[in-house]
């Protein structure tokens, strides 16, 4: 991990540990509830692991918090600005693809805004989210293929799609150029 990823891993570890101890949960309880090994949870809390988005979502669910509570900097203001380059990168591929959580709404329902870039050939599969979750995608550059609930659609720059996020879904770039898109996730079942 580089310095930025090290700092993010440590911050996530601190937040996971704080959420667990505040709720008076043991490592074993959280690990079992999240479906991860105790060793993985210890590594996350120590900041020595770079957990996948799926692992972070399972930990957030086991702790009763939304994903932004684990990965975003604390906010003291009602106006929260994230400057270019400051959003945490929560996944990346060897080809250069990435997913950055650029903003979230601190409301009863968790709403997240992501910047995604898929390099040529990148595929990102996602597990089902909480019941009622919706996803919105707006392609800014290139084209992608979105698969959700057994249906597949190809989107070009300027195209948008809305679909249920509570079913297995995937994003792919089968093309020879990078694809850049915004992804909004609204999860009414996740605690804020």
């Amino acid at each position: 991990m580089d310095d930025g990823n090290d700092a993010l891993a440590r911050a996530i570890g601190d937040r996971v540990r704080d959420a667990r101890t505040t709720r008076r949960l043991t490592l074993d309880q959280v690990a079992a509830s999240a479906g991860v090994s105790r060793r993985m949870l210890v590594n996350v809390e120590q900041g020595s692991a770079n957990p996948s988005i799926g692992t972070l979502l399972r930990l957030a669910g086991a702790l009763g918090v939304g994903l932004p509570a684990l990965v975003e900097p604390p906010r003291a203001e009602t106006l929260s600005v994230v400057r270019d380059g400051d959003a945490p990168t929560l996944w990346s591929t060897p080809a250069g693809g990435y997913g950055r959580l650029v903003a979230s709404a601190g409301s009863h329902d968790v709403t997240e805004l992501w910047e995604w870039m898929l390099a040529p050939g990148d595929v990102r599969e996602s597990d089902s989210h909480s019941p009622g979750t919706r996803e919105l995608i707006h392609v800014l550059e290139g084209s992608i293929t979105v698969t959700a609930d057994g249906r597949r659609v190809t989107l070009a720059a300027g195209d948008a799609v809305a679909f249920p996020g509570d079913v297995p879904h995937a994003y792919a770039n089968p093309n020879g150029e990078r694809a850049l898109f915004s992804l909004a996730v609204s999860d009414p079942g996740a605690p804020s």
Side-chain angles (χ1 to χ4, degrees), residues 8 24 26 33 50 65 78 92 108 125-126 140 149-150 165 170 173 181:
L8 180 59
R24 296 186 175 105
T26 67
S33 180
N50 187 9
V65 300
T78 56
S92 61
H108 176 68
E125 295 182 4
S126 179
L140 304 170
D149 203 21
N173 179 2
F181 60 98

Side-chain angles (χ1 to χ4, degrees), residues 6-185:
D6 287 346
L8 180 59
R10 286 191 302 275
I12 290 170
D14 291 344
R15 292 178 187 152
V16 168
R17 185 178 41 261
D18 290 347
R20 180 181 60 77
T21 58
T22 298
R23 288 159 181 75
R24 296 186 175 105
L25 297 170
T26 67
L27 288 166
D28 291 329
Q29 289 171 317
V30 173
S33 180
V36 301
S37 70
R38 185 179 197 280
R39 178 81 261 161
M40 171 57 91
L41 180 55
V42 168
N43 289 341
V44 168
E45 287 193 1
Q46 291 175 345
S48 61
N50 187 9
S52 68
I53 293 174
T55 298
L56 288 172
L57 287 168
R58 288 191 300 274
L59 288 172
L63 295 166
V65 300
L67 177 64
L70 298 181
V71 300
E72 285 191 329
R75 296 182 192 159
E77 304 174 20
T78 56
L79 180 64
S80 177
V81 176
V82 177
R83 299 288 180 199
D84 186 31
D86 288 345
T89 299
L90 298 181
W91 67 266
S92 61
T93 68
Y98 61 80
R100 292 184 184 130
L101 181 61
V102 295
S104 70
S107 63
H108 176 68
D109 299 336
V110 170
T111 304
E112 303 165 350
L113 179 62
W114 293 78
E115 173 188 297
W116 281 50
M117 193 282 282
L118 293 178
D122 275 347
V123 175
R124 188 75 184 175
E125 295 182 4
S126 179
D127 294 329
S128 304
H129 303 301
S130 307
T133 298
R134 297 285 299 169
E135 295 197 14
L136 306 165
I137 289 178
H138 180 226
V139 179
L140 304 170
E141 181 182 313
S143 66
I144 62 171
T145 301
V146 176
T147 304
D149 203 21
R151 296 187 59 205
R152 173 182 273 162
V153 63
T154 298
L155 305 170
D159 292 346
V161 66
F163 60 93
D166 55 4
V167 297
H169 50 283
Y171 324 97
N173 179 2
N175 307 300
E177 297 180 6
R178 81 180 202 153
L180 182 66
F181 60 98
S182 292
L183 167 67
V185 179

